Amino acid sequence: MPKGGALMKPWLRYAICILLGAVGGCGYAISQVRGDYTAKQISNGPWNANTIQGTEKATALIRAKVALHGIMALPAKEAMYYIAKTDSDGAPLNGKCTYTVRGGPLDARWWSVTLYYGEGWLVKNEANRWSVPGNKPVRDSDGNWSFTVSPKIANGVWLPTGGIDGFDLTLRLYHAKGNLLTDPANATLPTIKKESCA
């Protein structure tokens, strides 16, 4: 018969199994919460949206994602959030490139576009500018507008990237109406066109 210590005692085996299970479970939970914020939701061109955040249909996982990625996110009836991580051709947004964001009238009381990187961080830049409010771009006679996203200062309305490797844009629509609420996957949203890269 083996002497003491030759075989692992049952309680030690159980403790190791519980510890491994806890570590594995925590790791899986963290990976899920830190995963794509807009996963398995609607897509519209380069934009993606989670349409059930802020509603009673929101799962515990979605609420955890909002807590991590959408600090102080408003309920769905107050605001719609569209996130773009690519341009309109599907290429990842790159802070060393110049883009034109172009759109027309948006059926909402107010809108803005904000540039983020990582898990919702603002980008440090010399202009101290992180967002374009809806009243800033000049409209033509049809209500169409555009602004530039680039690492270097540009003419007109300019949103600086700070030259970082990758970023995303968040389009916030406050008190949205019409297709933005009833059919967000087919509503008319701004395009994001890559112009050049450094």
Side-chain angles (χ1 to χ4, degrees):
M1 182 144 184
K3 295 182 179 180
L7 289 177
M8 190 179 296
K9 295 183 179 180
W11 68 266
L12 185 56
R13 287 199 303 271
Y14 296 145
I16 291 174
C17 288
I18 291 170
L19 179 61
L20 291 175
V23 171
C26 288
Y28 178 75
I30 290 170
S31 71
Q32 290 296 297
V33 171
R34 290 184 179 275
D36 189 359
Y37 176 57
T38 56
K40 299 181 181 178
Q41 292 298 310
I42 67 102
S43 294
N44 183 327
W47 304 97
N48 296 286
N50 186 314
T51 57
I52 61 174
Q53 71 177 30
T55 71
E56 66 277 1
K57 295 179 182 178
T59 64
L61 178 58
I62 289 175
R63 293 178 187 190
K65 286 177 180 282
V66 168
L68 179 64
H69 298 279
I71 298 174
M72 296 184 70
L74 295 171
K77 65 181 181 180
E78 298 290 334
M80 289 284 293
Y81 301 89
Y82 288 90
I83 299 172
K85 296 184 177 181
T86 69
D87 60 26
S88 292
D89 292 322
L93 295 174
N94 187 326
K96 296 177 176 61
C97 299
T98 296
Y99 301 88
T100 299
V101 179
R102 182 174 284 111
L106 293 168
D107 199 2
R109 180 173 293 180
W110 180 259
W111 62 265
S112 66
V113 176
T114 306
L115 189 149
Y116 295 103
Y117 76 99
E119 295 176 349
W121 299 102
L122 296 171
V123 177
K124 183 177 181 180
N125 63 82
E126 293 181 2
N128 290 325
R129 187 177 303 155
W130 301 277
S131 184
V132 172
N135 64 343
K136 193 72 173 176
V138 176
R139 267 75 166 170
D140 65 16
S141 58
D142 295 320
N144 298 315
W145 51 266
S146 67
F147 65 86
T148 302
V149 180
S150 69
K152 296 182 179 179
I153 191 168
N155 293 328
V157 179
W158 167 58
L159 187 58
T161 67
I164 59 176
D165 289 334
F167 65 92
D168 56 77
L169 296 174
T170 295
L171 169 63
R172 289 179 172 84
L173 297 151
Y174 297 96
H175 293 173
K177 299 179 289 184
N179 282 353
L180 291 171
L181 281 182
T182 60
D183 192 12
N186 294 299
T188 301
L189 295 176
T191 58
I192 306 170
K193 180 184 177 184
K194 184 191 296 181
E195 303 293 351
S196 62
C197 292

